[in-house]
Amino acid sequence: AFAPIEEQIAHSDSLARLAQVWDKLDERSRYLLEARYILEKTDADIATDLGIQAKSVRMALTRARKVARGLMKE
């Protein structure tokens, strides 16, 4: 099933805005977002890469998304 065209447009706009601020993100935030949403890595894989516990990955991703959203609103 396809999302309504309005949702597709909003998603495309969000991706474009994220691309504009990508270089402003700190290295860790970029890694977290790329690992999860582009590379589709598991929490365990991300945790190993960062040297943190798997249960900490979710909170780290929440922070990374918050930083990205903040930059996108500027």
Side-chain angles (χ1 to χ4, degrees):
F2 290 100
I5 190 69
E6 294 85 5
E7 287 180 30
Q8 292 177 11
I9 291 169
H11 182 71
S12 293
D13 182 53
S14 292
L15 288 177
R17 285 187 291 138
L18 179 58
Q20 290 173 347
V21 301
W22 189 255
D23 290 336
K24 295 180 183 178
L25 287 169
D26 60 277
E27 188 175 334
R28 181 182 170 101
S29 293
R30 281 196 312 264
Y31 171 78
L32 283 158
L33 295 171
E34 182 178 358
R36 167 64 79 221
Y37 299 111
I38 297 171
L39 302 176
E40 299 181 352
K41 288 189 172 195
T42 64
D43 286 356
D45 289 338
I46 294 169
T48 298
D49 292 348
L50 294 177
I52 61 175
Q53 294 183 18
K55 64 184 178 184
S56 300
V57 171
R58 199 168 82 204
M59 186 48 120
L61 274 163
T62 298
R63 289 187 190 112
R65 286 189 296 265
K66 183 177 180 179
V67 169
R69 277 194 302 271
L71 289 170
M72 290 165 60
K73 287 180 181 178
E74 288 180 357

